[in-house]
Amino acid sequence: MKIKTWLEALIALFFPDLCVGCRQTLVAGETFICLPCLCKLPQTGYHRHLSNPVEELFRGRFEYEKISAFLHFEKGGQTQKVVHQIKYKNNETFGFRCGQMMAEEILPSGFFDNIDLIVPVPLHPKKKKKRGFNQAESLAKGISDRCHIPVNSTNLIKVKSNTTQTRKGRHERWLNSRDLFLVKNKDLFEGKHVIIIDDVVTTGATTEACAQSILDCKNTKISILTLAISH
């Protein structure tokens, strides 16, 4: 046995990798999440339907091409464990893997056809520095790895640090999200079909604010994809 392999086996013996869903030890070939928990993830299948609950959430708020969410989010459910592992346990690598999984499932449907740029919902610089990374950006990079569409995570910026959206109603979230985002160089988005990536959509206020900022650029088109939708 090679020294590296032996050391890896020894580390795994005393510090086994645990599934983010059930906290059981992962077996060979499993990464971050075990196969049973992976199979239990509540996929929406919305990418196969132009009209779906996420699309209905944004209908009439701005012009868009395609909108979908990968998973259903319910309090205490498997998706919440996945989101919390990325967002609050600072697991950037798992965020990247979730982005890959999203793309692997959605890519065959043609959802990503004709999209020019992937743009993650940005964090305010102070919050990004505190967290260490942007969870939406890790998802975007994972998606890009599978569909080979470039990510632009620097042109759309968050210029104000708003208060947390948790426990706010729809109108409060909308007020809290106004004038938060700015496109630094509109020429970079001009004539492009941009897909906005976020982790969880609830009322859609933050995503709408991002979309409106990008749509101020000439001849842009917007699509939206989130890891999950909260019901």
Side-chain angles (χ1 to χ4, degrees):
M1 182 181 289
K2 294 180 179 179
I3 293 177
K4 184 178 179 181
T5 306
W6 182 83
L7 286 173
E8 288 173 346
L10 186 63
I11 291 170
L13 178 64
F14 290 99
F15 304 100
D17 290 329
L18 303 179
C19 171
V20 301
C22 64
R23 308 305 295 166
Q24 297 298 308
T25 302
L26 296 173
V27 301
E30 294 177 340
T31 307
F32 297 113
I33 187 166
C34 69
L35 184 59
C37 284
L38 188 62
C39 293
K40 291 177 185 176
L41 286 177
Q43 294 189 25
T44 66
Y46 291 162
H47 57 279
R48 302 187 190 94
H49 309 282
L50 287 177
S51 180
N52 61 66
V54 200
E55 184 271 336
E56 291 171 6
L57 178 66
F58 290 101
R59 190 177 296 165
R61 294 163 69 170
F62 57 89
E63 292 186 11
Y64 51 79
E65 302 299 310
K66 294 173 280 190
I67 297 181
S68 187
F70 182 50
L71 301 171
H72 295 286
F73 182 101
E74 293 182 0
K75 190 174 181 180
Q78 288 291 88
T79 303
Q80 184 180 38
K81 295 175 183 177
V82 167
V83 172
H84 279 212
Q85 182 67 211
I86 301 170
K87 198 168 183 177
Y88 301 114
K89 300 296 183 181
N90 299 326
N91 199 331
E92 185 175 6
T93 307
F94 183 45
F96 182 85
R97 178 61 191 134
C98 285
Q100 289 178 319
M101 289 191 295
M102 291 167 69
E104 289 163 359
E105 174 64 27
I106 295 172
L107 194 58
S109 70
F111 186 85
F112 295 107
D113 290 355
N114 303 315
I115 290 173
D116 301 302
L117 283 174
I118 299 173
V119 174
V121 172
L123 290 178
H124 188 272
K126 289 183 179 179
K127 190 168 187 178
K128 185 175 181 180
K129 184 177 180 180
K130 182 179 179 180
R131 183 172 293 172
F133 74 104
N134 177 0
Q135 70 277 3
E137 185 176 353
S138 67
L139 292 168
K141 289 179 177 178
I143 293 169
S144 176
D145 181 70
R146 290 296 189 259
C147 67
H148 308 297
I149 300 170
V151 176
N152 186 307
S153 58
T154 58
N155 200 35
L156 178 69
I157 60 172
K158 192 170 186 180
V159 292
K160 291 196 298 184
S161 183
N162 59 330
T163 56
T164 180
Q165 299 280 54
T166 307
R167 299 188 181 91
K168 283 185 169 63
R170 182 186 296 270
H171 185 64
E172 288 178 300
R173 285 176 182 244
W174 179 78
L175 289 174
N176 198 38
S177 299
R178 289 189 305 171
D179 305 318
L180 286 179
F181 303 99
L182 173 72
V183 175
K184 292 196 296 184
N185 184 352
K186 292 186 177 183
D187 291 342
L188 291 180
F189 289 160
E190 183 176 344
K192 298 290 195 301
H193 183 175
V194 174
I195 186 166
I196 298 172
I197 304 297
D198 203 2
D199 52 1
V200 181
V201 62
T202 304
T203 66
T206 300
T207 310
E208 179 183 2
C210 289
Q212 296 287 11
S213 295
I214 295 173
L215 286 170
D216 281 341
C217 306
K218 292 180 181 179
N219 302 318
T220 53
K221 295 180 180 179
I222 290 290
S223 288
I224 293 168
L225 177 62
T226 67
L227 175 63
I229 177 172
S230 178
H231 298 281

